[in-house]
Amino acid sequence: MRIPEHRRPSAYYILVILAVVVLFIATSYQYKITDRMFPLMVGYVAVPLLLMDLLALTDSKLGEKLSIFFSAKTPTEVDEDADPTERTISQELMIFVWMGALVLGIYLIGFLPCTPVFVYCWMKFRGGYSVKESAYLSIGTIIFVYVLFEIILQYELYPGIFLYWYG
Amino acid sequence: MFEALIEGIVNLSSPHSLLLLAAGSAVGLLFGAIPGLGGTTAVALLISLTFGMEPWQAIILMGGVMAATSTGGSVSAILLNTPGIAPNAATTFDGYPLAQQGKAGMAIGAGATASALGGVIGVISLVAVIPIMKAIVLLFTPPEFFMLAIFGLCAIAVSSGDRLLQGLITAIIGLMVGFVGYYDVTSTVRFDFGIPLLEDGIKLVPALIGLFAISEMINLAVKGGSISEGASDVEISRISDGVKSVFKNWSTMIVGSGYGTFIGAVPGVGGTVAAFLSYSTQAQRDPTPDIEYGKGNIKGVIAPESANNAKDGGSLIPTLAFGIPGSAETAVFLGVLVLHGIEPGQKLLEDHQDLVFTLVVALTVSAVFATLVVLALAKYMALLTRISVHMLIPTVTVVALVGAFALNTEIGDVVIAFIFAFIGYFMIKFNYPRVTFTIAIVLGSITELSFHQSMLISDDQFSIFYTRGLSVFLMFLTVLSLAFPTFRRKMKERKLAKQEAEK
């Protein structure tokens, strides 16, 4: 019984969810019976479902039977229907870094400076647009955000931790 | 009821309300026409704009979005063979062949008119069942509410494509997310792991913004390229022929709308199933068509388009009556209602009928408005689908994060949106349904509350769930919904075996 190479990322995903569920169950025991009763019921239902989901990924007969029992498609049929888009880990990591940098930037310097910088850098370096095109869209976006949120809706956008520190 | 309807019309008749409706419809059309975005993303993005509004104004804006999305999606389905949103997929079968035959205008005219009429029929059905809904809601006590929530979750899990196991897992994880934070029955803070941000629970709005708006952007960024690679020049003429064809084939439109309303009312099943069922029923009702289905039959556009707009009215029935969302879009809409202090159920149907009718009027006017815009601007809307993802991703991401922050002006909400964006991305990648997850988060507290209330009523006896008629009926429906995929597979196997034997 083994999990074919192409289904392993799905298996890792299930294992991560399983770890979260186990942590959830363990944490539940800290609470009084009334507080933990329903969360525990839910948590204990999740464990066998996740294990069956994991088993269904294997190339065994049991895996196939489980898939058929629980779903209208076998793993092979699911493989055939899978999104053909190739998502390499490096591609994903790169996007995660960009998004993480945006959130970190917002935390450090706030929305107003971070917005045009992010839009400009994305357009220029990921989209391959010219300096002029990137600048136009970044200026357009910050004007939109400022006018809509600060002027019309009168929200005070987060100024960044640096501004908090330096008054 | 009549006074409430009048109040709904009055609410919508001010220039400010009409502007909100037009803005909502325009956003709905845009997000509907651009594949990969959709109405849920639009509703999630616009939540932050409603914070300072009166509840009825927020309802008008959201009603505009919800009614216009699938109309917008039909344009890209017909012109580019790329459905704007999933329910428009059935429209491509005959819509795109019609466009290839130079009858794009006719297909768009028929699709948009069927959408408007379907939307209106769906809303009329909603109005018709409101008095009955009030009576039905009164029959529900905590055990019935608990079983209804469980049925809703299972039905939604089953509807998540052909992956029941993944649907159920997602529902459970969603419930777990719903348990985080302050539990008002026992006044305890649970599962906060010492993080102050989690003490009040995971806030729905930033979570939804991350789950739908930002995760879609991450997915587009990883996939790269442009959204659609369709033909650049499409001739659009004979729109009026399309409009006339809907009235000529009125029975197709009525049957499609009926499917949409009925199926839309079943939690989680939604527009895609309604559109496909409506299409296949139409093909079966018409065994000897003038033009074969799949080769440019106009009825093949009318049937799914009327169904997927009629489902808006249908899916609001369980949302407004029980707080059980009929679709992801209505789950986010439910979040908007809760945000504005409106609780679905008997109270809403009795004390806030004006709001229900404001929504009804907004949905009706928006369905018609969106159709008129599509008929006038179809060609330009098609160009939207060719926007580069590199223009869309940074702008939508930034606006989404600002929206997440604006709710409580708390930077922690940006972090929540960011975390849920990654959860959403991995759910897209590994084909776990986000709709089920969202609805489970929304239902988490209601489910636990009704469970505890049932236990209190029954002195901790679980028999309360299987000794009451309505509760048993809902339990039966739950089992039936779980058995549905196996039943469908057996039917498919039998059909294939029969075809093999005939060969």
Side-chain angles (χ1 to χ4, degrees):
Chain A
M1 192 189 292
R2 54 179 279 280
I3 296 172
E5 188 74 37
H6 66 281
R7 287 185 208 146
R8 283 197 192 152
S10 298
Y12 298 139
Y13 182 68
I14 295 169
L15 287 173
V16 170
I17 301 177
L18 191 61
V20 172
V21 170
V22 171
L23 177 71
F24 178 86
I25 291 173
T27 312
S28 297
Y29 281 104
Q30 294 175 7
Y31 307 117
K32 287 183 201 150
I33 182 108
T34 324
D35 291 321
R36 71 174 184 236
M37 191 198 284
F38 195 62
L40 271 182
M41 278 166 58
V42 169
Y44 278 119
V45 172
V47 174
L49 288 176
L50 283 161
L51 291 176
M52 281 191 277
D53 199 13
L54 200 61
L55 263 176
L57 290 176
T58 61
D59 52 7
S60 64
K61 279 273 168 217
L62 178 66
E64 191 159 337
K65 275 184 183 163
L66 270 174
S67 302
I68 292 170
F69 183 74
F70 271 105
S71 119
K73 283 190 176 175
T74 62
T76 323
E77 284 171 329
V78 172
D79 285 347
E80 285 163 7
D81 288 352
D83 180 1
T85 312
E86 252 194 56
R87 293 175 165 91
T88 62
I89 290 175
S90 62
Q91 261 176 332
E92 287 175 332
L93 274 178
M94 185 58 84
I95 303 302
F96 296 169
V97 167
W98 272 91
M99 295 292 170
L102 171 64
V103 174
L104 184 67
I106 291 169
Y107 178 70
L108 294 175
I109 59 170
F111 280 104
L112 292 179
C114 201
T115 297
V117 173
F118 177 73
V119 176
Y120 178 85
C121 291
W122 186 288
M123 292 272 293
K124 182 82 186 76
F125 302 113
R126 284 206 63 83
Y129 284 89
S130 67
V131 171
K132 212 167 148 186
E133 286 168 324
S134 309
Y136 282 154
L137 192 73
S138 61
I139 293 167
T141 310
I142 191 58
I143 290 174
F144 174 77
V145 167
Y146 184 75
V147 170
L148 182 65
F149 289 95
E150 287 256 358
I151 296 178
I152 298 176
L153 298 171
Q154 296 187 328
Y155 292 131
E156 198 185 316
L157 291 179
Y158 182 69
I161 198 83
F162 284 156
L163 261 187
Y164 274 131
W165 284 344
Y166 297 105
Chain B
M1 199 161 102
F2 187 69
E3 290 89 33
L5 178 64
I6 297 291
E7 206 165 325
I9 295 169
V10 170
N11 277 344
L12 198 77
S13 55
S14 73
H16 184 231
S17 303
L18 288 172
L19 199 68
L20 279 176
L21 186 78
S25 306
V27 172
L29 280 172
L30 288 180
F31 277 65
I34 300 174
L37 294 185
T40 315
T41 309
V43 176
L45 263 181
L46 288 183
I47 292 176
S48 56
L49 303 190
T50 72
F51 299 156
M53 289 180 188
E54 291 294 324
W56 56 271
Q57 291 173 324
I59 283 174
I60 289 172
L61 183 72
M62 294 303 168
V65 177
M66 290 195 294
T69 316
S70 46
T71 311
S74 67
V75 177
S76 40
I78 291 166
L79 295 182
L80 305 161
N81 204 23
T82 310
I85 54 172
N88 297 119
T91 309
T92 60
F93 300 159
D94 284 282
Y96 188 61
L98 277 165
Q100 283 177 314
Q101 293 160 23
K103 296 176 187 167
M106 188 182 173
I108 288 172
T113 311
S115 290
L117 295 176
V120 172
I121 290 174
V123 169
I124 291 171
S125 313
L126 172 67
V127 173
V129 298
I130 285 174
I132 310 165
M133 278 181 347
K134 278 198 281 185
I136 294 174
V137 171
L138 287 174
L139 296 175
F140 280 68
T141 57
E144 283 81 25
F145 266 112
F146 175 74
M147 285 316 302
L148 182 69
I150 298 293
F151 166 63
L153 283 173
C154 290
I156 293 153
V158 169
S159 71
S160 52
D162 294 301
R163 313 192 78 203
L164 173 61
L165 205 48
Q166 289 77 5
L168 290 173
I169 290 168
T170 314
I172 286 173
I173 304 298
L175 283 177
M176 287 176 173
V177 172
F179 296 146
V180 174
Y182 184 75
Y183 183 45
D184 40 13
V185 170
T186 55
S187 305
T188 316
V189 176
R190 299 176 303 177
F191 307 106
D192 64 328
F193 303 101
I195 303 166
L197 189 67
L198 299 180
E199 277 175 12
D200 290 332
I202 289 176
K203 286 173 201 114
L204 193 60
V205 174
L208 293 177
I209 287 175
L211 208 55
F212 287 97
I214 307 174
S215 68
E216 285 295 351
M217 294 305 113
I218 295 176
N219 191 38
L220 279 176
V222 174
K223 286 167 92 171
S226 66
I227 293 172
S228 169
E229 310 282 352
S232 58
D233 288 311
V234 188
E235 200 192 322
I236 297 176
S237 56
R238 296 175 60 195
I239 285 181
S240 60
D241 287 352
V243 177
K244 282 179 206 156
S245 73
V246 178
F247 294 99
K248 215 172 122 191
N249 299 295
W250 61 271
S251 67
T252 304
M253 189 267 299
I254 298 281
V255 172
S257 306
Y259 266 109
T261 309
F262 181 71
I263 293 168
V266 181
V269 179
T272 311
V273 177
F276 275 89
L277 265 180
S278 173
Y279 181 87
S280 62
T281 307
Q282 177 53 37
Q284 282 164 10
R285 283 176 64 219
D286 191 11
T288 50
D290 301 336
I291 302 163
E292 222 177 293
Y293 284 94
K295 296 201 171 157
N297 191 323
I298 198 73
K299 290 182 207 164
V301 174
I302 298 168
E305 279 306 310
S306 51
N308 73 30
N309 264 47
K311 70 103 183 40
D312 292 331
S315 67
L316 283 167
I317 296 172
T319 312
L320 299 177
F322 303 105
I324 309 274
S327 61
E329 217 169 69
T330 46
V332 185
F333 176 69
L334 192 64
V336 178
L337 292 182
V338 174
L339 194 74
H340 285 271
I342 305 162
E343 239 177 77
Q346 192 195 343
K347 252 189 161 184
L348 173 66
L349 297 175
E350 280 186 348
D351 302 346
H352 296 291
Q353 271 205 5
D354 55 321
L355 293 179
V356 176
F357 279 92
T358 301
L359 177 64
V360 162
V361 180
L363 285 172
T364 313
V365 176
S366 175
V368 177
F369 176 77
T371 296
L372 294 176
V373 172
V374 164
L375 294 179
L377 303 172
K379 190 168 182 175
Y380 304 101
M381 282 179 65
L383 295 175
L384 285 172
T385 61
R386 277 185 283 278
I387 288 179
S388 159
V389 292
H390 294 298
M391 292 170 91
L392 208 59
I393 292 163
T395 45
V396 172
T397 306
V398 166
V399 174
L401 287 175
V402 175
F405 171 79
L407 171 63
N408 297 308
T409 54
E410 242 183 59
I411 193 70
D413 288 347
V414 173
V415 178
I416 297 275
F418 180 67
I419 292 167
F420 273 80
F422 286 98
I423 294 173
Y425 169 73
F426 284 110
M427 291 180 86
I428 297 172
K429 181 177 174 179
F430 294 111
N431 204 6
Y432 282 71
R434 286 175 299 164
V435 179
T436 319
F437 187 60
T438 310
I439 295 178
I441 297 175
V442 173
L443 289 182
S445 55
I446 305 170
T447 316
E448 190 176 15
L449 182 68
S450 47
F451 174 78
H452 272 150
Q453 286 172 337
S454 306
M455 290 287 107
L456 277 173
I457 296 170
S458 66
D459 263 342
D460 289 340
Q461 296 298 311
F462 280 92
S463 58
I464 193 166
F465 296 113
Y466 54 85
T467 50
R468 299 162 73 96
L470 188 54
S471 178
V472 171
F473 175 67
L474 289 164
M475 201 183 278
F476 171 70
L477 285 182
T478 308
V479 174
L480 210 65
S481 69
L482 289 173
F484 180 70
T486 314
F487 171 74
R488 192 170 52 182
R489 185 173 184 91
K490 291 269 178 224
M491 292 291 285
K492 206 167 128 190
E493 279 171 0
R494 195 174 291 177
K495 198 176 164 189
L496 280 174
K498 203 174 160 188
Q499 280 173 353
E500 286 287 315
E502 277 172 6
K503 274 181 195 170

